[in-house]
Amino acid sequence: MQAAIELKHISHSFKDKEVLKDIQLEVKKGEIFGLLGPSGAGKTTLINIITGQLSATKGDCFLEGTDSRKLTGEQYRRIGVMMDHFGLYERMSCFDNLKFYEMIDGKGTGEIAQVLKRVGLADAGRKSVSKLSKGMRNRLSFARAILRSPDILFLDEPTSGLDPVTTEEIHRMILAEKEKGTTIFLTTHNMHEAAKLCDNIALLNEGEIVEYGNPEALCRKYNKIQKFRLHLKNGEEMELRQENAQIEMLAAYLRNGEVETLHTSEPDLESIFMELTGGTLNQ
């Protein structure tokens, strides 16, 4: 099956600073792909290159087999983009913002009211953007990105700075788009978000991909020292390693009915990133 997005040896520099270094990636159709890295790692620059807003210094990018530098207007209309710096018109209502972008696309969908309903803004259609909360603005930006029913959806830090309830709403909408068959390219520094949503992720550090794979598979791969966390009925907390002597201790606690809770301790994406780079994702 042809890849939805294919990057071949993408590098990019701003003056003397190389921000992307020989990036090679393939994003499958219909998957949620996550690009993880701290602020300044090059995530937004890469999205700008893939979506044709920026030309790479070196390398080639293909969207569904077409060079991203040669996309037609109709091909662009099959791409949805939600980025933090993509402005909404403050004095215009939610409905009129979406109507305006429909006009730019050159065709009406008749779906504005339905899309606003899907993102939880049905009652805010006539409210001006200037009166929206940050969470409502994010949902409106998401509505704008999905209005054209895109084949590929780019989401740049879609839940940054949002409260847990609004974040969960955005996650629900992202998963709904996947159910429709949309390919989703997500950038984030939120490891929990990536682990929850993504089929595959790449860890980006200082412009280079340092690891790639399924989040759960990566956690298993780096689970070099298996540990067990115990909470005993007497209130004591313990951590045991998977070593013969300590496994015997664990078995004894279990036989004697002394264990209240037992959990395995596996690495998460944050600890994997720290192991590989010495830095942290949440910057």
Side-chain angles (χ1 to χ4, degrees):
M1 181 185 292
Q2 185 183 72
I5 303 168
E6 189 174 7
L7 307 179
K8 295 184 176 182
H9 303 288
I10 293 290
S11 296
H12 192 73
S13 299
F14 291 110
K15 295 185 178 180
D16 297 332
K17 182 176 175 58
E18 190 175 27
V19 295
L20 293 173
K21 306 169 186 177
D22 196 38
I23 302 295
Q24 297 197 74
L25 275 178
E26 187 175 289
V27 179
K28 303 178 184 68
K29 287 188 177 182
E31 79 168 319
I32 300 180
F33 170 80
L35 185 65
L36 278 71
S39 298
K43 303 188 301 295
T44 300
T45 299
L46 189 57
I47 279 192
N48 286 338
I49 290 171
I50 298 171
T51 55
Q53 301 174 70
L54 187 67
S55 294
T57 306
K58 297 178 183 177
D60 299 294
C61 171
F62 299 90
L63 271 68
E64 298 188 327
T66 302
D67 189 320
S68 63
R69 294 163 295 195
K70 300 177 181 179
L71 295 176
T72 66
E74 182 57 37
Q75 287 173 313
Y76 269 119
R77 278 190 281 272
R78 296 204 299 269
I79 298 171
V81 181
M82 175 185 175
M83 301 181 77
D84 194 41
H85 65 267
F86 269 31
L88 297 168
Y89 291 92
E90 294 282 319
R91 296 184 182 180
M92 292 170 62
S93 68
C94 295
F95 185 94
D96 288 341
N97 264 275
L98 298 188
K99 187 67 177 177
F100 177 72
Y101 289 114
E102 264 196 346
M103 291 169 60
I104 291 177
D105 275 351
K107 60 179 182 180
T109 65
E111 297 290 327
I112 293 178
Q114 184 60 32
V115 169
L116 287 173
K117 182 178 180 180
R118 283 172 56 196
V119 301
L121 293 176
D123 295 332
R126 297 302 174 187
K127 183 178 290 188
S128 65
V129 170
S130 62
K131 296 179 180 178
L132 301 181
S133 66
K134 178 173 174 56
M136 294 173 77
R137 286 170 182 255
N138 274 43
R139 281 185 275 158
L140 182 59
S141 293
F142 190 88
R144 175 194 165 190
I146 65 173
L147 180 62
R148 51 178 59 168
S149 297
D151 295 329
I152 304 176
L153 180 60
F154 292 91
L155 305 174
D156 190 17
E157 303 279 2
T159 61
S160 178
L162 298 184
D163 63 86
V165 173
T166 306
T167 294
E168 184 62 30
E169 291 175 351
I170 296 288
H171 287 175
R172 175 181 52 77
M173 292 188 288
I174 292 172
L175 291 170
E177 286 302 304
K178 181 189 176 181
E179 286 294 315
K180 292 167 58 180
T182 307
T183 302
I184 299 169
F185 190 109
L186 168 74
T187 71
T188 182
H189 62 257
N190 185 325
M191 59 184 175
H192 302 295
E193 182 167 79
K196 175 182 178 181
L197 298 176
C198 297
D199 298 294
N200 289 293
I201 61 104
L203 300 177
L204 187 69
N205 183 57
E206 296 181 353
E208 296 183 271
I209 292 176
V210 296
E211 187 56 282
Y212 168 90
N214 173 267
E216 290 184 4
L218 287 177
C219 290
R220 290 194 299 269
K221 176 181 176 181
Y222 287 88
N223 191 18
K224 298 172 183 176
I225 303 176
Q226 292 186 325
K227 300 177 183 178
F228 301 92
R229 295 195 309 274
L230 286 74
H231 180 83
L232 303 182
K233 291 180 180 179
N234 63 9
E236 185 179 357
E237 299 276 353
M238 299 187 67
E239 184 173 270
L240 301 177
R241 297 191 177 197
Q242 193 164 324
E243 300 169 354
N244 288 340
Q246 297 199 357
I247 288 296
E248 286 299 322
M249 289 176 60
L250 173 60
Y253 284 127
L254 290 170
R255 281 195 301 267
N256 297 331
E258 299 177 62
V259 178
E260 188 168 277
T261 62
L262 171 64
H263 301 280
T264 58
S265 180
E266 298 175 345
D268 56 22
L269 296 177
E270 175 76 16
S271 61
I272 293 170
F273 188 86
M274 290 178 67
E275 179 177 338
L276 291 171
T277 69
T280 177
L281 285 169
N282 292 309
Q283 295 178 359

